[in-house]
Amino acid sequence: MGKHKPPRSATLSDIAAAAGVSVGTVSKALNAKVGVSPANRERIMRAVEAVGYRKSDGRPRQSTGLGTATIVTYDRYVGNDSFYGEILRGITEEAERIGLGLCVEMLFHGEPTPDPSSLFRRGLPESVIMMGLDQPVLVDAVAAIGCPAVIINGMDPAMRIDSVSPDYHFGGWAAARHLLDMGHRNLLHVTHPFRESLTLRLEGFRKALERSGIAFDADRHLLDTDDAGLTSTGAQQAVTRLIESGKFEATALCCVSDMLAIGAMRAVLAAGYRVPEDVSITGFDDLPISAHCEIPLTTFHIERAEMGRAAVHMLIEGAANPLRNGRRLSLGVQLVERASVAAPPR
């Protein structure tokens, strides 16, 4: 008798379990991406054979258990948005690879949060990917449907819905820690903490200060741009107002996004400060533009396409195991040092 092979419906999760690695590591290895050690790659290839997973030429490589996923997001996130564009690419490439259909329900930025009952105009979805959305009313509406769902770059505090995001708390902590290690003591966190993800970054920033013996003072250490769009213009205006008030004392600005950092940089340069000789600035996201600013921006890299791929796999796993507890996947971020940070002036 010939050697028995497991069914072709084996998944990336099966490979990951057999190899003792994460689903993300399996995905990288099978798609010839960097970041997989030779030993892990060899284990993964052996596991591929063991579980019977086979690639196919253009046809779905595995049975997803789902026919369609509905992406719910803002219109500007599927347009010209560098951050979410990479995430969307990861979603669409992985969905196409495994044979999962996609459709999109778009919310229009600036309009009031829609009535949840009218959110899904095409009828109740089979599964949902909430991209960049975690407003409680929307999360509650999706949780009430009871279908498999994942939030990207957000979270459900009640843990009913899976989520995948950068490690917000560690990201805020690491940004402040880098500036503290450079010798800065007058740090200013530039943000608009209207979402859980931004609040967690602020908490990480605060924890880094406190562990360095610096008592957090919101009047001194926090600048709220009051701009839900998190735009560079909003940050520029907020920093300009602070400088003109005569209360600007910071030697380092720790910004929650590259766009806020770019706006802050414009404001301090326009006011006659030098970057980084007088004021250091960090961003977050490592958008392509961050390397090409007037002063190339020190920032933190996020594997955005990997977030999209991971969300698809979490969705499939949730569909296969509907009674399991909700999961939160936090991806680490990596410091990218450029020219916008230096030791503080004497």
Side-chain angles (χ1 to χ4, degrees):
M1 294 179 64
K3 183 179 178 181
H4 174 71
K5 292 183 179 180
R8 288 174 59 87
S9 60
T11 67
L12 297 190
S13 295
D14 297 326
I15 301 172
V21 299
S22 70
V23 171
T25 301
V26 172
S27 178
K28 287 182 180 179
L30 295 184
N31 289 284
K33 302 291 185 181
V34 298
V36 182
S37 69
N40 278 346
R41 195 178 298 276
E42 182 179 351
R43 280 198 294 271
I44 290 167
M45 292 302 106
R46 288 200 300 265
V48 165
E49 288 297 319
V51 303
Y53 183 90
R54 292 293 184 272
K55 295 183 178 181
S56 63
D57 50 355
R59 294 186 297 273
R61 298 181 188 176
Q62 65 181 83
S63 173
T64 66
L66 290 174
T68 303
T70 298
I71 301 172
V72 185
T73 191
Y74 281 121
D75 58 334
R76 62 189 176 92
Y77 292 168
V78 296
N80 186 23
D81 188 287
S82 296
F83 184 88
Y84 285 103
E86 279 292 293
I87 293 174
L88 189 60
R89 179 175 67 81
I91 294 172
T92 55
E93 288 180 354
E94 195 63 16
E96 181 178 3
R97 191 185 69 80
I98 65 175
L100 177 68
L102 295 174
C103 63
V104 180
E105 293 279 5
M106 288 190 293
L107 308 179
F108 296 97
H109 185 69
E111 71 178 12
T113 300
D115 179 351
S117 65
S118 64
L119 180 59
F120 298 104
R121 292 179 288 272
R122 307 175 192 179
L124 291 181
E126 184 180 2
S127 63
V128 177
I129 297 175
M130 302 177 71
M131 191 172 75
L133 301 175
D134 61 1
Q135 294 92 327
V137 65
L138 298 180
V139 173
D140 290 345
V142 171
I145 295 172
C147 67
V150 178
I151 302 172
I152 300 179
N153 200 35
M155 65 179 62
D156 173 16
M159 293 181 285
R160 298 160 297 180
I161 299 178
D162 292 347
S163 61
V164 55
S165 303
D167 192 316
Y168 304 121
H169 186 275
F170 173 75
W173 180 90
R177 185 70 262 168
H178 177 61
L179 294 169
L180 291 164
D181 288 345
M182 294 296 294
H184 292 275
R185 290 298 177 267
N186 294 326
L187 275 64
L188 184 65
H189 190 63
V190 183
T191 184
H192 177 48
F194 72 107
R195 289 181 55 195
E196 187 70 19
S197 61
L198 298 164
T199 300
L200 287 173
R201 267 180 244 187
L202 175 58
E203 290 176 358
F205 172 87
R206 177 174 183 162
K207 182 67 70 175
L209 263 61
E210 291 175 346
R211 288 189 178 179
S212 296
I214 301 173
F216 178 82
D217 179 351
D219 290 337
R220 178 185 173 193
H221 296 123
L222 172 63
L223 178 62
D224 186 345
T225 67
D226 195 28
D227 173 21
L230 297 178
T231 63
S232 59
T233 300
Q236 182 176 359
Q237 292 171 346
V239 174
T240 297
R241 287 193 298 268
L242 180 63
I243 293 173
E244 291 176 347
S245 74
K247 298 179 181 179
F248 184 76
E249 299 176 351
T251 63
L253 305 182
C254 185
C255 304
V256 295
S257 74
D258 288 350
M259 297 311 297
L260 264 64
I262 291 169
M265 184 183 296
R266 290 183 189 140
V268 297
L269 291 172
Y273 293 94
R274 299 169 299 165
V275 177
E277 292 85 353
D278 300 320
V279 180
S280 290
I281 300 176
T282 62
F284 200 90
D285 295 337
D286 193 25
L287 299 180
I289 194 174
S290 65
H292 306 288
C293 302
E294 182 173 352
I295 312 296
L297 184 64
T298 291
T299 184
F300 285 82
H301 179 71
I302 298 170
E303 293 185 337
R304 297 185 291 279
E306 180 63 23
M307 288 171 58
R309 289 190 290 267
V312 171
H313 289 290
M314 293 181 80
L315 196 67
I316 300 307
E317 290 169 5
N321 302 282
L323 298 181
R324 68 166 172 76
N325 293 335
R327 296 180 179 179
R328 290 179 180 169
L329 175 61
S330 293
L331 301 182
V333 299
Q334 183 176 10
L335 174 66
V336 179
E337 296 189 72
R338 296 195 179 104
S340 66
V341 172
R346 295 182 180 179

